[in-house]
Amino acid sequence: MVLRAAVYIMANKRNGTLYTGVTSNLIKRVYRHKTGFYPKSFTAKYGCNLLVYFQFFEGMDEAIIEEKRIKGGNRKSKLRLIETMNPEWRDLWEDIKE
């Protein structure tokens, strides 16, 4: 997979705790969430190891703008965003890993 800017949402379970992030390397970043690479991080603390949403962008500037938009929204808007792309809340890790 070519390195591209991405916004993503991790969850601990369906309708559970959500974490929104931005990265230039989605595979590496999600892997780190899944393995608890940063044991004191929010995602490690709350067990957010399911990739439930992602979107790629041409550049990091656009991705950061979208991340801020998502984070600025309420929980209901985040759930709607996830369910539009991933209505069954599958772990999308299998779709992106090499």
Side-chain angles (χ1 to χ4, degrees):
M1 176 178 283
V2 176
L3 296 182
R4 295 192 305 175
V7 173
Y8 64 96
I9 300 176
M10 303 294 293
N12 64 348
K13 63 182 179 180
R14 184 181 190 115
N15 295 316
T17 302
L18 303 175
Y19 171 84
T20 303
V22 64
T23 183
S24 62
N25 186 335
L26 187 60
I27 292 171
K28 182 177 181 180
R29 190 70 186 106
V30 172
Y31 178 80
R32 287 183 169 179
H33 286 301
K34 289 185 151 301
T35 60
F37 187 82
Y38 299 109
K40 295 183 180 182
S41 69
F42 178 91
T43 55
K45 181 178 179 181
Y46 292 98
C48 296
N49 60 8
L50 303 172
L51 176 64
V52 294
Y53 173 85
F54 66 90
Q55 181 180 359
F56 289 114
F57 293 86
E58 289 297 315
M60 188 55 81
D61 290 344
E62 295 89 352
I64 291 170
I65 289 168
E66 179 64 3
E67 179 200 28
K68 288 180 180 179
R69 187 192 70 76
I70 292 170
K71 284 184 170 182
N74 59 29
R75 180 174 174 81
K76 186 176 181 180
S77 66
K78 291 175 186 133
L79 295 175
R80 187 170 38 250
L81 185 64
I82 293 164
E83 291 183 359
T84 298
M85 176 190 192
N86 185 7
E88 290 158 17
W89 288 67
R90 287 186 317 107
D91 185 359
L92 302 173
W93 171 245
E94 294 299 324
D95 296 354
I96 66 159
K97 72 177 187 175
E98 295 178 328

